[in-house]
Amino acid sequence: MARQIHCASFPTSRQPEPLRVEITTPEVTRALKLARQVPGIRSATIFGQSIHALIEDHFDLNELREELQKQGIVVAEIRPLAPSLEDVFVELTYKNQAIAAKEAEAKRA
């Protein structure tokens, strides 16, 4: 018996890839709350004593550091980060939750 494989379709024009960064700070919870409100940050999650953030490719990391420092957050380091398997899992989980929420909202309308 033949098995069918589902293939995803890919867009013909490539969009800029978002970048992943690690923000190290002793105030992770407060910094996460602030980072999620910054335009250009697509998503952010806590990983130990740091935040892993998915940002737009044009985003200025120095501006992010300055914005967090204006809010009283001590930033030890902001550095580019290669995505880990856990990062990918978290990102896919959030995307699936967003899709499910949109579908539930559409059913209510």
Side-chain angles (χ1 to χ4, degrees):
M1 179 180 284
R3 292 185 183 184
Q4 185 178 14
I5 298 175
H6 176 74
C7 296
S9 61
F10 296 97
T12 55
S13 63
R14 278 188 50 83
Q15 297 179 349
E17 289 291 320
L19 305 174
R20 188 165 297 279
V21 296
E22 181 177 60
I23 306 162
T24 306
T25 175
E27 298 180 73
V28 177
T29 305
R30 202 166 132 238
L32 176 67
K33 188 175 182 179
L34 292 169
R36 286 182 171 165
Q37 297 172 6
V38 174
I41 294 183
R42 289 189 181 184
S43 67
T45 53
I46 293 177
F47 282 79
Q49 290 298 311
S50 64
I51 297 168
H52 287 191
L54 192 62
I55 62 173
E56 301 291 337
D57 68 333
H58 57 70
F59 196 78
D60 185 342
L61 296 179
N62 289 323
E63 286 181 22
L64 174 60
R65 178 185 297 275
E66 289 171 9
E67 184 61 35
L68 291 173
Q69 289 174 337
K70 282 181 196 174
Q71 300 296 324
I73 302 291
V74 175
V75 178
E77 181 181 30
I78 299 178
R79 66 182 183 93
L81 185 67
S84 69
L85 184 57
E86 187 175 359
D87 289 324
V88 173
F89 175 78
V90 168
E91 187 65 27
L92 290 174
T93 300
Y94 284 148
K95 283 182 181 180
N96 284 335
Q97 288 174 344
I99 290 169
K102 285 181 183 178
E103 288 174 352
E105 184 66 31
K107 286 180 183 178
R108 283 186 238 145

